[in-house]
Amino acid sequence: VVVGILDKELCYTWIYNPLPTFTPENIIGKTDADFVAPEEAKHLTELKQRVLTSGQSVREEIHTTSDAGVSSILLTVEPLRDSSGTIIGVTGTAIDMTERKQLEQEVSAQASELEGLFEAITDGIFVYDATGRLRRMNAAARTLLSRYIPPDDFSISAKARAERYGPRSPDGRPL
């Protein structure tokens, strides 16, 4: 977590735990425009200026490009007040979410791949939960089941489905 304090001109006056490519010495006295692309600096300045004028905190996920590359950052900016309550700057925290976002994308891609494989299997696969409720099925299972059971009944429990569609005695009772 990076923590920083900026004055009313949005120059850094203090920083803790800067990103690895930076040091406090090369940040203090500078603005975001010195570190990120112009459009990103403009957006950051607008966010921080909004906090200065409104006195309300802002929390937003942003993307920045610097010498270190593109980063996904969870940014929180709050007004910094003096003892009389006057806003004299802003404080900010930045949590680097880049690795987490990359992992989320990888997991999503893997889930899509597995879903594609699940659907492509030509044998019918039915997945039930511990209560016997059908949780999901693949395309082959839907095709097979739809020959015997209306699709609206796919989601009823296995017990209810057996009672409704299972074998019956000559007098109509479930076997």
Side-chain angles (χ1 to χ4, degrees), residues 50-66:
R50 186 172 9 141
V51 172
L52 283 173
T53 57
S54 72
Q56 299 294 313
S57 299
V58 171
R59 183 180 182 118
E60 184 175 312
E61 185 176 328
I62 60 168
H63 302 280
T64 61
T65 306
S66 68

Side-chain angles (χ1 to χ4, degrees), residues 22 32 35-38 40-41 62-73:
F22 299 105
D32 292 319
F35 308 109
V36 297
E40 296 164 350
I62 60 168
H63 302 280
T64 61
T65 306
S66 68
D67 294 338
V70 177
S71 298
S72 181
I73 306 288

Side-chain angles (χ1 to χ4, degrees), residues 120-131:
I121 294 172
T122 56
D123 291 329
I125 300 175
F126 299 87
V127 180
Y128 292 90
D129 65 17
T131 67

Side-chain angles (χ1 to χ4, degrees), residues 99-140:
E99 185 176 343
R100 178 179 174 184
K101 290 293 180 181
Q102 289 169 343
L103 290 173
E104 286 174 357
Q105 289 173 347
E106 289 174 22
V107 167
S108 178
Q110 289 174 353
S112 294
E113 184 179 352
L114 288 174
E115 182 64 26
L117 290 171
F118 180 76
E119 287 297 322
I121 294 172
T122 56
D123 291 329
I125 300 175
F126 299 87
V127 180
Y128 292 90
D129 65 17
T131 67
R133 188 162 193 82
L134 181 63
R135 301 309 298 171
R136 59 185 303 208
M137 64 183 96
N138 68 350

Side-chain angles (χ1 to χ4, degrees), residues 1-16 32 44-45 47-53 55-60 73-82 86-95:
V1 176
V2 178
V3 181
I5 296 176
L6 295 84
D7 60 21
K8 288 184 93 169
E9 288 75 40
L10 300 178
C11 290
Y12 286 88
T13 60
W14 180 82
I15 191 147
Y16 170 76
D32 292 319
L44 288 168
T45 300
L47 283 175
K48 294 170 183 176
Q49 194 63 48
R50 186 172 9 141
V51 172
L52 283 173
T53 57
Q56 299 294 313
S57 299
V58 171
R59 183 180 182 118
E60 184 175 312
I73 306 288
L74 181 58
L75 180 68
T76 303
V77 181
E78 298 182 359
L80 177 64
R81 300 176 189 271
D82 65 13
T86 303
I87 296 174
I88 59 170
V90 296
T91 61
T93 59
I95 301 171

